[in-house]
Amino acid sequence: MSLQAWPLLDVFTELQQRQFPLGAREYVAALEALARGFGTGSRDDLVFLCQTLWAKSLEERDQVSQVLAVSLPPKFTPEALAALAREALTSEEPVPEGRAGRGSGDLPSRRTPRRRGSSSRGGSEGAGPEISFRLGSDTQGSLVIPQPQTTSPGGSFDLEGRTPLSGRRMKRVWSYYRRMQRVGPRTELDVQATIEQIYRDAVLVAPALVPRRRNLARLVILQDEGGSMVPFRRIAGALTDSARHGGLGTVSILYFHDVPAAHLFHDPRLTDPIPLEKAIKPFARAGLLIVSDAGAARGGFDEDRIEASARLWRHLAGLAAGIAWLNPTPPERWVGTTAGEIRRRCAGLMFPIDREGVASAIRSLRGRS
Amino acid sequence: MPTTRYRGAGLPPSGSPANRFPYLAEPGLAQAVNMAIVLERPLLVKGPPGCGKTRLAASVAHELGLRYYEWHVKSTSRARDGLYSIDMVRRLQDSHLKSRKAQKLIHYIRFGEFGKALRAGSEAVLLIDEIDKADLDFPNDLLRELDEKKFTIEELDEAELTAKDLAAGFRKTYEAERSPIVIITSNDEKELPDAFLRRCLFYYIDFPKKPHLLEIVRVNTAVLKDLDQQLVENAIERLNELRGIDGLRKEPATSELIDWVRILYHWGIDAAALDATQSLTELPHWEALFKHQEDLRTVHQVVQGRDLRGRA
């Protein structure tokens, strides 16, 4: 069976590229469900099947319908799909490896401009490992799932608004920012101490208890809002949301515009001010994260902004336990602009919002705690 | 057509409506449950509070006539405790009293709900409730058991088991003959790890539309004799208006609606008292729909604002 004939494979690989948590077994599960008759009643049934098996949140559910709207074969009939799935599961021949099996890339190229650009350039899409599987006692087959490509062609516009770092990965990354201490009521059994107590007193009086470990990490986010940061509202919002749900001790967010001046604001609309000095008092021993494009979006070179930012940085760095700067614009745009200079003054602690950047920022936040 | 064992109507295997379980699942949810059963994967259910995530599992067990186990996860939960735990403190005390029992570990093994479900010997339904309450690594610690449907008691020395123990059912490794139907709920407060999510099927229970809501209320208020259906319809209309108010901390959901209907029935409120001409804050016992003081204030403010504009 040629790769083109494997039902829904193109949908599956598209979802994998969008960082859905899916492995080859999840594709096989979809085939099995199809073979057993699920998802073959109508087009809606098929969409439901893909959503239930492959999406893990409301947002992903919507993405699955979008992808299916584009990729569903035009001559879709439920019976044909079920038959294909059954044939796929019982086929003995392994799918050939390499791009030869994909018919020189004509299968994926129809869909998005991104894909087309990369396959004509000979992008990094290749075949993945061959997987053999058994289902039940009689069906077996093997399958090669093409690896999702990881390089994105430069200069293309992602009009769908997906972030370079998916929401889920962002939340996972925050789990590294922790300061665990034992506080609160004593509820956990301390086996070692109990044994020592028995040793001393020759009889068990009562088990020794210790409080649970809790994450006391404190995070303060200073977020640049409005003006040049408007296009980045979504990713900045995703970042702050993920921090809030990341299991940290406390997370507070304060807003400013361009450079924090005499006041910071409690709300993103910048209507509820608090004087700077008062606002930063509780920052001591917290991790401080500044989220701002630092002038990279417009690309100018503003001496005043640099000076003000550098001054503030020095002040805050002395106060907080750890400090870092996250810039939503890509690093290529910082060179020769206000942002590049600010970065230099901040001891290089300015990072882009991708997985490594956020991880480095968190390392810096952990600082000298 | 696929085998559909679960229909979501609450009827037991015998089919007798007298023994109906008060839970009505929407068709998509029933389909997701059936897929989970056939594919032998857990079903992860999310949705706003009060929409019936937790009761789904009990309804599945009732309809299929299976044993039911509930595991309510707390922030202190450890994955292994859901399978089994060893009562070390008691063993220490017994050994002090020189009891012979303390010599063998098997007397101190306590099985958690997941462990019981795997030991059940027949197909069972397991609910893992609010899995997002626990630590980040909690779901990953259950991966092997969810996949292979078996668990091992690490601390048990196999040599300790005599033939009598084996006959009594003790083992080092327990394996389920038929995999349990696992339903997992999450309030979406924390993100779950990828490796865990990968294995689960997913369903989001939205707030039901009116026809479904009517059915849900009917099923849950079956014991109320002569409940006026017009009262229920009006209540649903007014509820949806209240839900439409911006800025509520917790919108009233299905469970609040059912409670409200019960209260209205108890006080013999007439359907006309809830019709469209009434201002929302004049409705009898409307406060029962809300759980936060600030929401009551918000509703008052918004309704006052509307009244003023209406008069102007």
Side-chain angles (χ1 to χ4, degrees):
Chain A
M1 248 177 95
S2 66
L3 253 168
Q4 271 93 325
W6 290 89
L8 297 176
L9 183 59
D10 43 354
V11 175
F12 182 76
T13 47
E14 172 69 24
L15 294 177
Q16 272 190 318
Q17 289 211 4
R18 294 180 183 213
Q19 296 176 10
F20 275 52
L22 297 174
R25 283 204 285 179
E26 281 64 55
Y27 178 67
V28 172
L31 288 184
E32 202 191 330
L34 279 173
R36 305 265 192 124
F38 289 101
T40 53
S42 68
R43 192 207 161 86
D44 283 343
D45 281 348
L46 184 64
V47 176
F48 178 76
L49 179 127
C50 294
Q51 285 174 335
T52 307
L53 272 173
W54 293 339
K56 312 294 173 191
S57 72
L58 267 185
E59 189 194 57
E60 286 180 2
R61 209 174 67 171
D62 292 336
Q63 283 198 45
V64 169
S65 348
Q66 279 171 22
V67 172
L68 273 168
V70 174
S71 305
L72 206 56
K75 293 209 208 74
F76 159 73
T77 54
E79 299 78 23
L81 210 57
L84 269 178
R86 269 191 290 273
E87 194 192 324
L89 289 173
T90 53
S91 142
E92 287 281 346
E93 54 171 67
V95 178
E97 256 188 274
R99 279 210 305 286
R102 294 200 66 109
S104 39
D106 59 320
L107 182 63
S109 65
R110 255 171 294 152
R111 254 173 331 295
T112 59
R114 256 181 1 162
R115 286 271 202 111
R116 194 188 300 132
S118 64
S119 35
S120 67
R121 199 185 305 166
S124 59
E125 181 158 345
E130 182 175 325
I131 298 141
S132 324
F133 55 86
R134 292 189 68 88
L135 286 159
S137 54
D138 50 348
T139 54
Q140 77 173 21
S142 59
L143 167 62
V144 175
I145 306 277
Q147 294 283 37
Q149 66 191 56
T150 48
T151 58
S152 63
S156 63
F157 288 107
D158 183 346
L159 293 173
E160 290 178 10
R162 294 195 303 275
T163 57
L165 183 66
S166 77
R168 173 170 305 119
R169 293 242 175 95
M170 263 193 213
K171 287 181 191 172
R172 291 290 291 160
V173 144
W174 283 115
S175 70
Y176 293 112
Y177 183 50
R178 48 172 78 179
R179 199 169 303 164
M180 306 302 282
Q181 276 185 31
R182 296 192 179 271
V183 286
R186 294 169 178 271
T187 51
E188 236 180 55
L189 178 67
D190 185 346
V191 179
Q192 192 61 29
T194 307
I195 293 176
E196 280 169 17
Q197 182 260 307
I198 299 172
Y199 175 68
R200 272 197 315 271
D201 302 337
V203 69
L204 173 66
V205 176
L209 299 173
V210 286
R212 274 191 62 226
R213 294 178 72 208
R214 284 183 204 284
N215 186 3
L216 292 185
R218 290 169 50 218
L219 178 68
V220 178
I221 300 181
L222 294 183
Q223 175 144 326
D224 189 358
E225 190 62 38
S228 52
M229 279 294 285
V230 166
F232 304 108
R233 194 168 274 164
R234 207 173 139 147
I235 188 171
L239 186 69
T240 46
D241 270 343
S242 68
R244 277 212 196 91
H245 291 115
L248 302 176
T250 55
V251 178
S252 8
I253 305 178
L254 291 166
Y255 301 88
F256 64 94
H257 180 63
D258 274 359
V259 181
H263 288 91
L264 294 175
F265 298 88
H266 284 302
D267 65 320
R269 295 210 186 97
L270 309 179
T271 59
D272 185 8
I274 174 171
L276 185 69
E277 284 310 315
K278 190 168 163 204
I280 65 178
K281 253 196 240 158
F283 291 2
R285 293 193 308 282
L288 194 60
L289 187 65
I290 303 178
V291 180
S292 166
D293 66 301
R298 293 218 181 91
F301 196 88
D302 182 348
E303 292 265 0
D304 293 333
R305 186 167 177 171
I306 295 172
E307 279 308 317
S309 303
R311 232 194 338 266
L312 184 70
W313 176 275
R314 276 197 298 276
H315 186 37
L316 294 175
L319 190 63
I323 185 168
W325 190 307
L326 279 179
N327 191 327
T329 60
E332 301 87 60
R333 301 184 70 130
W334 302 350
V335 183
T337 66
T338 319
E341 185 56 28
I342 293 180
R343 181 167 188 269
R344 210 177 58 80
R345 305 281 190 98
C346 295
L349 291 177
M350 182 185 287
F351 307 101
I353 302 186
D354 58 15
R355 196 162 75 157
E356 271 145 37
V358 178
S360 308
I362 291 180
R363 260 198 300 277
S364 175
L365 286 176
R366 277 175 22 191
R368 41 190 168 82
S369 56
Chain B
M1 272 310 291
T3 44
T4 44
R5 293 173 60 189
Y6 178 64
R7 293 181 202 287
L11 294 172
S14 61
S16 115
N19 193 12
R20 183 181 225 146
F21 188 86
Y23 185 88
L24 198 67
E26 57 197 30
L29 180 57
Q31 183 77 323
V33 170
N34 287 313
M35 276 172 67
I37 295 176
V38 164
L39 296 173
E40 294 188 24
R41 285 173 175 244
L43 175 65
L44 174 65
V45 182
K46 289 190 188 173
C51 281
K53 301 191 290 291
T54 306
R55 290 177 69 201
L56 170 66
S59 130
V60 174
H62 182 89
E63 258 194 51
L64 304 182
L66 300 174
R67 277 197 247 186
Y68 175 58
Y69 300 93
E70 298 190 329
W71 182 10
H72 295 280
V73 172
K74 304 198 199 9
S75 55
T76 49
S77 297
R78 289 184 313 164
R80 208 200 65 168
D81 294 342
L83 294 163
Y84 71 93
S85 58
I86 314 265
D87 195 346
M88 277 301 188
V89 180
R90 175 144 300 172
R91 196 181 187 194
L92 266 173
Q93 287 175 329
D94 282 351
S95 72
H96 264 297
L97 303 170
K98 308 233 188 331
S99 153
R100 306 261 345 251
K101 213 169 84 161
Q103 306 243 350
K104 297 195 76 153
L105 184 68
I106 50 174
H107 298 127
Y108 301 94
I109 300 179
R110 312 268 174 269
F111 291 101
E113 298 300 306
F114 192 5
K116 285 185 202 162
L118 290 172
R119 286 183 77 211
S122 58
E123 205 179 3
V125 176
L126 171 69
L127 166 71
I128 305 182
D129 198 26
E130 299 190 318
I131 198 170
D132 55 323
K133 261 202 201 156
D135 272 346
L136 218 52
D137 295 315
F138 178 93
N140 277 341
D141 290 340
L142 291 174
L143 284 178
R144 181 185 170 242
E145 288 75 19
L146 281 173
D147 266 345
E148 301 178 17
K149 322 289 184 207
K150 65 181 181 190
F151 70 99
T152 303
I153 303 188
E154 309 286 338
E155 295 87 340
L156 188 59
D157 182 6
E158 200 131 30
E160 185 186 297
L161 292 169
T162 63
K164 198 161 140 220
D165 296 329
L166 290 170
F170 289 105
R171 302 267 182 285
K172 185 168 167 74
T173 300
Y174 290 92
E175 185 163 359
E177 284 155 24
R178 296 196 59 181
S179 72
I181 301 169
V182 182
I183 296 182
I184 306 177
T185 69
S186 166
N187 285 318
D188 226 3
E189 273 167 28
K190 269 191 241 162
E191 198 54 64
L192 299 169
D194 280 2
F196 169 79
L197 282 177
R198 187 185 287 198
R199 278 158 182 72
C200 300
L201 270 58
F202 168 76
Y203 193 85
Y204 188 90
I205 303 187
D206 270 315
F207 187 70
K209 301 272 189 317
K210 182 166 174 190
H212 194 219
L213 258 183
L214 271 169
E215 270 301 299
I216 293 177
V217 174
R218 196 176 61 80
V219 159
N220 276 279
T221 51
V223 291
L224 305 178
K225 289 207 209 14
D226 303 324
L227 175 61
D228 183 4
Q229 284 311 302
Q230 190 59 47
L231 177 72
V232 177
E233 283 198 33
N234 289 357
I236 292 178
E237 291 291 326
R238 302 285 85 73
L239 176 86
N240 280 325
E241 280 176 37
L242 283 166
R243 280 176 57 90
I245 293 181
D246 262 340
L248 290 176
R249 207 170 129 185
K250 185 194 179 306
E251 291 168 347
T254 332
S255 52
E256 284 84 22
L257 172 65
I258 295 170
D259 288 340
W260 193 32
V261 168
R262 290 200 184 119
I263 293 172
L264 294 170
Y265 174 84
H266 176 81
W267 292 108
I269 306 286
D270 192 59
L274 285 124
D275 71 20
T277 58
Q278 303 293 332
S279 163
L280 287 175
T281 45
E282 304 286 318
L283 296 174
H285 308 291
W286 69 274
E287 296 94 342
L289 289 167
F290 292 94
K291 299 278 195 282
H292 294 286
Q293 185 69 12
E294 54 186 273
D295 284 345
L296 295 178
R297 258 181 268 134
T298 309
V299 173
H300 272 295
Q301 278 171 10
V302 169
V303 171
Q304 265 173 10
R306 283 191 199 154
D307 287 346
L308 287 172
R309 278 196 300 276
R311 258 182 252 142

